[in-house]
Amino acid sequence: MEILDTFFNIDVLRRTWPLLVSGLGTTLSLSVVGIVASMIWGLLLALGRLYGNLPIRFLVGVYIDFFRSIPLLVLLIVIYYALPFVSVKFSPFTSAALALILVAGAYAAEIFRAGILAVPKGQFEASEALGLSYFSMMKDVVLPQAVKVVIPPLTNNSVNVLKDTALASVVAMPDLLKQATQAQSLAANPTPLIGAAIIYVLILWPLVVIVSRLETRFATEER
Amino acid sequence: MENFIDIKCLNKHYGHFHALKDVSLQVSEGEVVCVIGPSGSGKSTLIRCINMLEEFDPSSSIVVDNIPVKKGKSLREIRAEVGMVFQSFNLFPHLTVLDNVMLAPKRVRKANADELREKALSLLDKVGISAQADKYPKQLSGGQQQRVAIARALAMEPKVLLFDEPTSALDPEMVGEVLDVIKSLAHTGVTMVVVTHEMGFARQVADRVVFMDGGEFVEAGEPAEIFDNPKEERTQKFLQAILNH
Ligand SMILES: Nc1ncnc2c1ncn2[C@@H]1O[C@H](COP(=O)(O)OP(=O)(O)OP(=O)(O)O)[C@@H](O)[C@H]1O
Ligand SMILES: [Mg+2]
């Protein structure tokens, strides 16, 4: 019974529930911002890497490798704690969103690039021969075909963004994890943390299942 | 007659490999030219230079309908009036047959949707596949796909049509239906350059046959001249090899 009282204390959970819900709201809005913006940013990076002029291709290549190398937590701390020394100061939310977008964008860029490269050369040639503009070739011909290849890894990338939002608690952003630790010290009981863990899993579990479904579905469609 | 396509001293390198050597070729408006030659002789490279799917050496000059073929704004103008049909069809797999045909005019000509639809359907009718308009390319036979590709090229109302071995990827029983469509287009005013291994077809529809070998323009003439009376030894050898095979 002691274990139940310590980790699954319904009374504590009830009292701290509003805090958890507000934390969940922050986590979800950070996720949405991070996922949407990193996809757009990633697509632009991929196009720059594939079709930009030489300096752009080079710079984008360096960008992608750099932001895939740096640990997200390190980047976040640099943005939030180091940049103010040069008078660049962001709110916790902005810092966290920025760090997520910079890193997840680099991963998304590689995913989009692979997707575009998977579209046969003949599709580009047919579009060019018809006189389509670059924009129309991408929008009407190439990207709709690349999407198939790109959806499973991109969904996976989004799952990672959602998970990584938890790192934002180190810059005092009131996300789900931060609010849960807050609630834990208020109540002097770890139940809110367990509650947060369960909420994370409940949200992410279906997404993880969706990713593997997508992966098998697209893999079999190839045949 | 004025030269509609004017290729002068065309040179093309792939790295160090000299794929086209000083090729010159003039085609007048409405003319049908067939390009023949052994594999690797540069036939595809030649016609792909005309709409600049391949970049060529800067000393070369290609002019189509008085517009110089070069990178930049005018290139799309040229591509809009030069249609191309590929050996491997290259239809857009995610679009229906009708949308394949309508895409380019919709985007480039920005015409009215109903008119476009009417016109696309009549083109599909012309190549004998209006019944398949709502299917996807992979649901069609190779011959049908290639006829869709021809309709797609025609939808831009091109002044020039380039064909790169349009029947080489087809099962033998489907070659005829595609060649018939191409024949029906010859001498309708559209200028055609056709790379082909179908000598019977070339003899029948070409105004002029061009023989290429090793990246060089070897000789050109009326079909009867080239097929029955080739002057160059290389042409004789090539034709003999084909006849004996
Ligand atoms: N992208 C490329 N890179 C390097 N070499 C190439 C490339 N494309 C073609 N070549 C070479 O250029 C030469 C001419 O090729 P091309 O495709 O024009 O020949 P072709 O006459 O069309 O032959 P085929 O009848 O087999 O289609 C060949 O020797 C080929 O190997
Ligand atoms: Mg060829």
Side-chain angles (χ1 to χ4, degrees):
Chain A
M1 278 306 106
E2 200 161 308
I3 288 194
L4 273 188
D5 270 349
T6 311
F7 291 113
F8 303 97
N9 191 315
I10 298 294
D11 189 44
V12 171
L13 190 62
R14 193 177 297 139
R15 271 190 290 131
T16 53
W17 186 247
L19 214 51
L20 293 188
V21 168
S22 88
L24 178 62
T26 316
T27 290
L28 290 181
S29 41
L30 181 60
S31 302
V32 169
V33 169
I35 288 168
V36 172
S38 67
M39 276 191 205
I40 297 170
W41 180 224
L43 180 59
L44 292 175
L45 288 170
L47 294 176
R49 180 150 202 195
L50 284 169
Y51 307 114
N53 57 24
L54 208 63
I56 289 186
R57 289 208 303 266
F58 176 77
L59 286 177
V60 173
V62 170
Y63 172 96
I64 290 174
D65 290 343
F66 178 83
F67 283 102
R68 287 192 308 163
S69 309
I70 192 166
L72 184 56
L73 183 55
V74 174
L75 177 66
L76 178 57
I77 288 179
V78 166
I79 291 178
Y80 189 69
Y81 291 106
L83 289 187
F85 284 89
V86 289
S87 301
V88 181
K89 212 166 171 336
F90 296 117
S91 71
F93 188 92
T94 311
S95 304
L98 213 53
L100 283 171
I101 294 164
L102 288 172
V103 170
Y107 284 98
E110 285 300 89
I111 294 170
F112 277 118
R113 189 168 74 109
I116 292 171
L117 287 175
V119 176
K121 200 163 160 251
Q123 296 291 308
F124 291 83
E125 292 185 344
S127 314
E128 287 181 343
L130 283 166
L132 292 183
S133 65
Y134 174 80
F135 178 78
S136 163
M137 172 170 80
M138 281 296 154
K139 176 173 94 51
D140 297 319
V141 178
V142 177
L143 292 178
Q145 296 182 63
V147 157
K148 279 193 169 182
V149 186
V150 152
I151 279 182
L154 219 47
T155 316
N156 196 33
N157 200 36
S158 305
V159 168
N160 288 336
V161 170
L162 215 161
K163 281 186 188 171
D164 288 342
T165 55
L167 291 174
S169 55
V170 303
V171 294
M173 198 187 80
D175 73 328
L176 179 54
L177 179 59
K178 182 72 188 171
Q179 297 296 58
T181 33
Q182 202 93 326
Q184 171 185 6
S185 34
L186 283 179
N189 177 295
T191 300
L193 265 183
I194 303 295
I198 291 173
I199 295 176
Y200 276 116
V201 172
L202 284 181
I203 294 175
L204 283 157
W205 194 316
L207 292 178
V208 169
V209 172
I210 289 173
V211 170
S212 48
R213 288 254 173 90
L214 286 175
E215 274 165 357
T216 30
R217 201 176 92 206
F218 286 115
T220 44
E221 257 181 24
E222 289 294 296
R223 305 292 114 99
Chain B
M1 203 191 278
E2 203 190 337
N3 293 325
F4 198 71
I5 304 175
D6 192 357
I7 301 172
K8 283 203 189 101
C9 285
L10 177 60
N11 280 285
K12 161 82 190 167
H13 285 82
Y14 288 110
H16 290 295
F17 178 72
H18 201 169
L20 291 177
K21 301 169 186 159
D22 274 334
V23 175
S24 291
L25 176 67
Q26 282 73 41
V27 185
S28 47
E29 192 161 8
E31 195 182 9
V32 178
V33 172
C34 285
V35 182
I36 62 170
S39 180
S41 56
K43 308 178 297 292
S44 299
T45 308
L46 171 68
I47 66 164
R48 289 161 57 85
C49 283
I50 297 176
N51 60 356
M52 220 174 178
L53 287 186
E54 301 290 348
E55 281 182 45
F56 38 86
D57 297 4
S59 59
S60 326
S61 134
I62 303 181
V63 176
V64 177
D65 195 12
N66 294 318
I67 313 171
V69 178
K70 59 173 197 309
K71 273 193 170 173
K73 262 205 152 159
S74 59
L75 186 57
R76 273 186 64 207
E77 218 176 299
I78 287 185
R79 285 174 169 169
E81 62 179 72
V82 177
M84 188 166 212
V85 175
F86 301 85
Q87 181 175 344
S88 50
F89 328 139
N90 297 347
L91 291 177
F92 305 132
H94 60 297
L95 299 178
T96 62
V97 163
L98 187 65
D99 287 334
N100 262 275
V101 177
M102 284 175 44
L103 177 64
K106 193 159 76 191
R107 291 292 182 255
V108 182
R109 303 259 188 259
K110 302 196 164 74
N112 167 295
D114 289 335
E115 272 172 42
L116 279 178
R117 214 187 131 79
E118 287 295 306
K119 194 160 148 260
L121 283 170
S122 83
L123 280 172
L124 287 174
D125 197 38
K126 191 165 163 182
V127 299
I129 26 190
S130 47
Q132 329 281 344
D134 294 323
K135 290 194 179 165
Y136 286 88
K138 69 174 174 209
Q139 297 171 287
L140 305 187
S141 73
Q144 290 173 323
Q145 290 190 42
Q146 192 61 301
R147 286 185 278 149
V148 174
I150 294 172
R152 179 177 70 175
L154 289 173
M156 288 297 288
E157 299 179 340
K159 295 181 181 165
V160 179
L161 275 175
L162 307 172
F163 293 86
D164 190 1
E165 298 193 31
T167 58
S168 294
L170 298 176
D171 293 336
E173 72 270 19
M174 294 169 186
V175 169
E177 65 191 52
V178 171
L179 290 182
D180 285 343
V181 169
I182 301 175
K183 273 181 214 165
S184 74
L185 300 171
H187 308 113
T188 56
V190 62
T191 308
M192 300 190 358
V193 182
V194 187
V195 174
T196 184
H197 287 299
E198 301 287 336
M199 298 303 153
F201 166 81
R203 185 189 280 268
Q204 218 183 329
V205 301
D207 296 312
R208 199 148 47 107
V209 175
V210 172
F211 175 71
M212 289 185 66
D213 188 24
E216 290 171 319
F217 175 102
V218 178
E219 65 176 314
E222 286 184 12
E225 237 177 284
I226 297 291
F227 289 120
D228 303 331
N229 235 330
K231 291 188 195 63
E232 300 287 330
E233 201 188 322
R234 284 195 278 179
T235 319
Q236 293 162 7
K237 277 203 180 136
F238 170 74
L239 290 171
Q240 238 151 39
I242 285 199
L243 290 179
N244 295 340
H245 111 126

